[in-house]
């Protein structure tokens, strides 16, 4: 078995390959993830997204094919979720600073000001020139809810191109279970219990060749006066999404879709999910505030209490 852990995309990444001993594959995969980070990080002033944000309200910016693809998808998901997912959410993400500022709650006026800058309809994409523009000064993109999924898909591509058939890719919780386990069985992937320490599972998924992506309010949060303030912001209110969910896990083929869907569906809430799940042929596991676990159709529990994909 080959494995590698590395920091990128603002998170910890872990790749395990079970059917090759060619270390070069790991390095190629890591280099591809680093390339995507260099292009899409909102924290690097020379990344595509850094330059796009610095030029908001001014002039279109030429971006790489990678970034253009993710931007197109991010706009699509913003549209189909009617703005529950909104890739221009950055001013609100910055204001709240969940995980950065210490237990900070902005005033209603500050929230309203940041919220007025949000609007995916203000993204102008030119596919011929591969340029992007945000119409108004102060607007800013945030691909944090979708870029890890793209990077996971690209990592899988690198592995498959190099002959790998059995691997687990985990980019900060964006998981792809490639093929089957070396013993020929399905993979078992745990869903984190949102209120227990890392590694304690509330359910186990039993599957092959799928991506599993979770958005959860226990990743970055604080609690004040009984209210949980977390990093999944509802762009329509300007406040952390309040949907009685602790986590949403998406299972499907494409990790970029799963990533955007998990963020979107967390914000939208369980009752609104079915049309998007069927549109993207995705399955979902929901954990509610009272820790009840429910799942979409095409998933059921087997005799070992594992959730299997039908
Ligand atoms: P994830 O963990 O994939 O659900 O993504 C969370 C990240 O997506 C946050 O840290 C923000 O950078 C960004 N984000 C937060 N709220 C939204 C939203 N409503 N739409 C799009 N991106 C968001
Ligand atoms: Mg996401």
């Amino acid at each position: 078995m080959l494995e590698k852990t590395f920091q990128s995309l603002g998170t910890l990444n872990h790749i395990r390959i079970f059917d090759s001993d060619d270390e070069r594959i790991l390095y190629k995969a890591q280099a591809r993830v680093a390339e995507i980070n260099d292009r899409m990080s909102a924290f690097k002033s020379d990344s595509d997204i850094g330059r796009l944000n610095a030029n908001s309200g001014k002039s279109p910016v030429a971006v790489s094919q990678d970034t253009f693809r993710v931007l197109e998808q991010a706009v699509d998901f913003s549209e189909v979720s009617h703005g529950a997912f909104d890739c221009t959410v950055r001013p609100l993400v910055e204001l709240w600073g969940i995980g950065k500022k210490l237990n900070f709650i902005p005033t209603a006026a500050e929230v309203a000001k940041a919220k007025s800058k949000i609007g995916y309809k203000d993204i102008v994409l030119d596919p011929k020139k591969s340029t992007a523009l945000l119409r108004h000064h102060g607007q800013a993109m945030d691909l944090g809810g979708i870029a890890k999924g793209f990077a996971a898909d690209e990592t899988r591509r690198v592995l498959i191109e190099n002959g790998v058939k059995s691997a687990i890719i985990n980019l900060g919780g964006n998981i792809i279970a490639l093929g089957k386990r070396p013993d020929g069985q399905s993979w078992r992937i745990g869903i984190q219990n949102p209120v227990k320490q890392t590694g304690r599972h509330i359910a186990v998924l039993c599957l092959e060749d799928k991506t599993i992506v979770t958005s959860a309010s226990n990743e970055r949060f604080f609690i004040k006066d009984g209210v949980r303030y977390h990093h999944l912001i509802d762009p329509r209110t300007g406040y952390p999404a309040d949907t009685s969910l602790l986590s949403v896990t998406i299972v499907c083929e494409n990790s970029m879709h799963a990533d955007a869907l998990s963020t979107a569906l967390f914000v939208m809430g369980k009752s609104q999910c079915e049309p998007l799940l069927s549109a993207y042929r995705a399955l979902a596991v929901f954990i509610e505030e009272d820790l009840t676990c429910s799942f979409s159709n095409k998933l059921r529990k087997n005799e070992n209490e594992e959730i299997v994909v039908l």
Side-chain angles (χ1 to χ4, degrees):
M1 201 249 293
L2 286 173
E3 71 179 318
K4 190 160 183 56
T5 303
F6 58 95
Q7 197 75 40
S8 190
L9 303 166
T11 185
L12 202 60
N13 308 289
H14 189 200
I15 302 173
R16 275 179 294 163
I17 297 176
F18 295 89
D19 59 346
S20 170
D21 53 13
D22 183 353
E23 295 234 350
R24 287 172 303 181
I25 304 172
L26 286 173
Y27 286 98
K28 280 185 203 163
Q30 183 180 357
R32 182 68 179 120
V33 173
E35 182 175 52
I36 292 165
N37 182 55
D38 287 346
R39 291 180 170 160
M40 297 181 205
S41 169
F43 302 103
K44 289 178 175 251
S45 57
D46 60 345
S47 73
D48 289 340
I49 299 304
R51 289 183 299 109
L52 176 55
N53 290 348
N55 280 286
S56 61
K58 293 184 203 153
S59 48
V61 165
V63 298
S64 62
Q65 286 298 311
D66 280 348
T67 303
F68 199 84
R69 256 175 78 193
V70 177
L71 283 173
E72 278 183 322
Q73 288 283 323
V75 172
D76 278 356
F77 277 100
S78 303
E79 273 165 7
V80 296
S81 70
H82 306 291
F85 181 95
D86 190 318
C87 50
T88 64
V89 74
R90 178 127 202 93
L92 280 167
V93 170
E94 250 178 11
L95 172 67
W96 281 93
I98 305 277
K100 295 211 163 71
K101 300 177 183 175
L102 195 65
N103 297 2
F104 172 74
I105 301 175
T107 64
E110 288 170 322
V111 170
K113 191 172 167 215
K115 188 161 97 70
S116 72
K117 295 179 186 157
I118 314 300
Y120 64 89
K121 292 187 177 142
D122 293 325
I123 303 169
V124 185
L125 295 178
D126 183 337
K128 287 207 184 85
K129 295 187 185 143
S130 191
T131 60
L133 168 73
L134 283 160
R135 278 203 185 94
H136 306 295
H137 177 70
Q139 291 190 304
M141 296 284 306
D142 186 329
L143 297 180
I146 187 168
K148 285 204 294 282
F150 175 72
D153 286 330
E154 286 299 292
T155 304
R156 168 171 52 193
R157 197 169 57 74
V158 171
L159 267 48
I160 290 174
E161 278 174 7
N162 286 276
V164 174
K165 292 194 173 62
S166 174
I168 296 283
I169 300 160
N170 182 350
L171 305 187
N174 269 247
I175 296 173
I176 293 181
L178 180 61
K180 295 182 185 188
R181 280 193 340 200
D183 63 4
Q185 291 212 16
S186 302
W187 298 104
R188 264 91 188 157
I189 308 287
I191 299 177
Q192 171 69 32
N193 182 325
V195 297
K196 291 271 168 65
Q197 80 253 39
T198 307
R200 296 284 293 276
H201 298 146
I202 199 163
V204 173
L205 283 157
C206 176
L207 39 70
E208 295 165 18
D209 254 329
K210 292 274 183 298
T211 183
I212 307 99
V213 179
T214 298
S215 285
S217 60
N218 66 311
E219 287 167 10
R220 275 176 275 150
F221 72 99
F222 65 91
I223 292 176
K224 184 135 192 255
D225 300 331
V227 179
R228 181 184 284 258
Y229 295 90
H230 57 83
H231 73 306
L232 297 160
I233 309 288
D234 187 339
R236 302 161 303 184
T237 64
Y239 286 79
D242 178 16
T243 59
S244 86
L245 288 169
L246 285 178
S247 78
V248 177
T249 299
I250 302 292
V251 177
C252 67
E253 306 288 331
N254 179 298
S255 202
M256 174 159 56
H257 292 172
D259 193 0
L261 280 174
S262 69
T263 310
L265 297 193
F266 189 101
V267 175
M268 291 165 79
K270 192 174 144 187
S271 61
Q272 308 288 313
C273 289
E274 209 40 58
L276 277 187
L277 288 175
S278 45
Y280 289 92
R281 287 192 289 163
L283 313 173
V285 180
F286 304 96
I287 313 285
E288 313 263 350
E289 259 161 17
D290 62 5
L291 290 184
T292 51
C293 171
S294 59
F295 30 86
S296 64
N297 55 19
K298 303 226 172 79
L299 289 176
R300 69 160 169 75
K301 278 199 173 162
N302 66 12
E303 62 282 4
N304 300 325
E305 290 292 294
E306 296 165 334
I307 302 173
V308 290
V309 180
L310 295 180

